[in-house]
Amino acid sequence: MSAAVLLFAAALAAPGTALADDAEPGPEQISNGDFAAGTAPWWWTANLSPAAPDGRLCAEVPAGTANAWDAIVGQNNIPIVAGESYELSYTASSTVPLTVQTRVQEAAAPYTTVLSTADPVGTEATRVTRTFTAPVDQPAASMQLQIGGGERATTFCLDDVSLRGGAEPPVYVPDTGSPVRVNQVGYLPRGPKSGTVVTDAEAPLTWTVKAEDGSTAATGTTVPKGEDPSSRQRVHTFDFGGLTTAGDGYTVEVDGEVSEPFSIRGDLYDGLRSDALAYFYHNRSGTPIEADLVGEEYARPAGHAGVAPNKGDTDVPCQPGVCDYRLDVSGGWYDAGDHGKYVVNGGISVAQLMSTYERTLTAPDAESAELGDGELRVPERDNGVPDILDEARWEMDFLIKMQVPAGKPLAGMAHHKMHDAEWTGLPMKPHLDPQQRELHPPSTAATLNLAAAAAQCARLYAPFDKAFADRCLRAGETAWAAAKQHPDVLADPADGTGGGAYSDNDVSDEFYWAAAELFTTTGKDVYRQAVLSSALHGDVNKIFPAGGGISWGSTAGLGALTLATVPSALTAGQLAEVRSVVTGGADRYAAQSRAQVYGLPYAPTGEDYVWGSNSQVLNNMVVLATAHDLTGDAAYQDAVLRGADYLLGRNALNQSYVTGYGERNSHNQHHRFWAHQNDPALPNPAPGSLAGGPNLTAIASGDPVAAEKLSGCAPAMCYIDDIGSWSTNEITINWNAPLAFIASYLDDAGEGGTAAPARTCRVAYSSHPWNSGSTVTVRVENTGSEPVSPWSLTWLLPGDQRLSHTWSAEFAQAGRTVSAKPLSWNRTLAPGAAVDFGFNLAATGPAPDPGSFKLNGRACASG
């Protein structure tokens, strides 16, 4: 994870800021900056041969360099003093326009930067001026202009270079736009609709919703709320939930100020579901990203496929001294802004993608049609497998490859991570990464992530690819056994060179999650006992704590959600207990949402917004969505919708944190190849990419942009949409995974428009028990207006039940998943028509009837 990198991190200071009018400039730090004395003491990389015949330095930069730092002009031995503000300026031109990576940094490892900016230079002479305040002393710093990384050769010329102290420190004031804050995407017709206005007014104010044609759609008065401690803003809130008329271009006006425009529609989240899931294809490793799926702008060659300059991921050694073997660990998803691949981040991410699909099997109103074969942007479409499972398999296969081979020390455990031996810079397309890739030591946390995800994989892929499902189950059970044998092999928190450490000193939550998944899939008593005997089981304060919740380092909640929703061998009492934990956590997050002036279901202790706080908001929304699926209580769904409002613009910064969604959306996130801010030839992040969000620890983290711009920020304001701010503006797979889950949930919620979702089928399931089983008859009725042909009905069987004798349909059972398909004579279900079929069930004990049926991926009414 690129969050720890200091080398080459961009730290933009306000361009054009000059020395204070009344300030005495400090001494000139650059020697021979006008090149009147030739080229000394300047230096350059070996592929350059600069000369200064006319009072400026010019160099021929060769074509085809991979990185910006492959071609450098610089000067060393520059004293930099902590706390001093400096102004660096220079004039440059390039016969082929390029982006100069301007650096003031240590001359040797770890190359800590005090200034790191990306500065476009064209064919005409351009004056570049940057100011910065040094956070650390650097007695012999290096000023560098990194000019490599271009596909074409160019002539770069430089003149009038100056670096002086005494600059006026730039004061960063975020542009928050209108003080009227709304969900900039919009609101569901039958959902809550609320907003916030920043104002010092003591008395209520009149608010007015205007339609696109300027007419008044609704009006009312605000509710003063005083100062919000998370943003230090004085605010009022307003509620226009009574407005249900669908339309686009609505705005809210308060006290002469107008919000960003928004829509009221039932299909608001259809595109977000697709885009949030496409994020994972975009970030696949080891395969070309095809233009016909993502567009020319985002297409790229396969990364880390072993084609020079790549070393490749197909034959990767361990770090020196870690192991004596090499592994093929190709595939998987790039984790974040870097090219690393991490099992603990991959485990939760792939699990949440699989849960997005599994929800369509368990939740009454969830539908799998939009996640099905041929619906998403994956190259495996039209293979008979739901597209979302095709995407998840790309990561799942990688996770299994990370398992230590049999016969080796720690066999069955999983390597914690693999990534470059050293940090790479921005920008960097993955196929151009020249670094050696390395496996890092196994860890118990990674091994349990593999066990949990592989167990979930086994039950979900069984209906589509039994061999792969069996492979997943073997890997999962092997990993569990290895983790039990080695329960305290922890990742080294200092192992942060070239990638994030992802250290975790408490793996009791991973043991709980893995046991829950293995028990749900296999029903084995050893896993049941591991669940029930865990100190976490049944404790809402440990599983869904008030100040946090589910994250890569806190995974017990994933196990609780599975146990609460997926049919298993739990007794009725045990199921009720775990469901009460889920609703208890949801009650807590719903109360937080109602209490917050910006509506988010997240209230960290001491307003301590954590790294990736937006993912914490989303994971709390996953708990709320699950509680709504279980109970139908609208209060839970309302809190989910208010959380979406926060993420999409109703927040202290008036910022939509999802690229491409809302008028003021994040689009400069920290990423190696979505790096338009650093290189105009590269794209911004793809639509549907979630920014990490406010982070109170940003300044202390070493993030140079945060240190420069966010000093003294209020907790909810500690964010900046800048590619260099890796502590607030990174994007990662484990942040987009809950976004995909919630986008899918919200799209299902919006299907009904202004009423409850219309159902086009009805299922009557009648069970007649006898000594060791039951006889079941099923009637499926087409209540829609279009014929259904062919049809397929899918459901999950609770308890330990197996089909035996069947009639009037073609049946398949994989674990608890059952499907019924037509025979030749009942292939078509005409509007108003019904089909009847049945079967016998053998059971080892009492089991309830199924609670959810899906006809061709669409939810059916019961009765």
Side-chain angles (χ1 to χ4, degrees), residues 508-601:
S508 60
D509 52 312
E510 283 87 359
F511 269 110
Y512 184 76
W513 173 32
E517 298 294 349
L518 284 161
F519 169 66
T520 300
T521 297
T522 69
K524 291 181 179 180
D525 191 61
V526 62
Y527 304 127
R528 180 205 299 266
Q529 294 307 319
V531 167
L532 299 180
S533 63
S534 169
L536 302 178
H537 185 66
D539 191 332
V540 66
N541 293 317
K542 293 179 179 178
I543 294 179
F544 301 119
I550 297 169
S551 68
W552 68 264
S554 181
T555 57
L558 297 175
L561 295 179
T562 290
L563 292 171
T565 58
V566 183
S568 71
L570 286 176
T571 67
Q574 292 164 346
L575 179 60
E577 180 184 19
V578 75
R579 286 184 170 178
S580 72
V581 170
V582 172
T583 56
D587 288 339
R588 171 174 287 158
Y589 301 144
Q592 291 174 351
S593 173
R594 289 189 297 270
Q596 299 265 38
V597 297
Y598 285 110
L600 66 163

Side-chain angles (χ1 to χ4, degrees), residues 8 53 258 263 299 318 413 529 600 697 728 773 847:
F8 306 123
V258 180
S263 299
C318 285
M413 296 193 75
Q529 294 307 319
L600 66 163
T697 66
T728 75

Side-chain angles (χ1 to χ4, degrees), residues 340-358:
K341 298 187 291 191
Y342 308 82
V343 173
V344 294
N345 233 27
I348 184 174
S349 302
V350 75
Q352 290 190 304
L353 252 66
M354 290 190 289
S355 293
T356 301
Y357 173 74
E358 191 158 36

Side-chain angles (χ1 to χ4, degrees), residues 616-653:
Q616 197 61 71
V617 173
L618 277 160
N619 279 318
N620 291 354
M621 291 162 67
V622 169
V623 178
L624 288 158
T626 304
H628 177 251
D629 285 340
L630 290 172
T631 67
D633 188 336
Y636 298 135
Q637 186 172 88
D638 287 352
V640 175
L641 290 165
R642 288 192 296 267
D645 296 345
Y646 168 82
L647 293 168
L648 296 170
R650 187 196 172 194
N651 54 57
L653 289 165

Side-chain angles (χ1 to χ4, degrees), residues 25-33 78-79 87-89 161-165:
E28 179 61 65
Q29 306 278 62
I30 297 293
S31 298
N32 191 27
I78 298 170
E87 178 182 284
L88 171 68
S89 59
V161 186
S162 174
L163 176 63
R164 290 179 179 271

Side-chain angles (χ1 to χ4, degrees), residues 395-403 450 454 468 471-472 475:
E395 178 72 5
M396 196 66 243
D397 187 63
F398 159 74
L399 295 179
I400 295 173
K401 291 178 179 179
M402 290 288 280
Q403 198 159 27
L450 172 60
F468 182 63
R471 180 183 171 216
C472 284

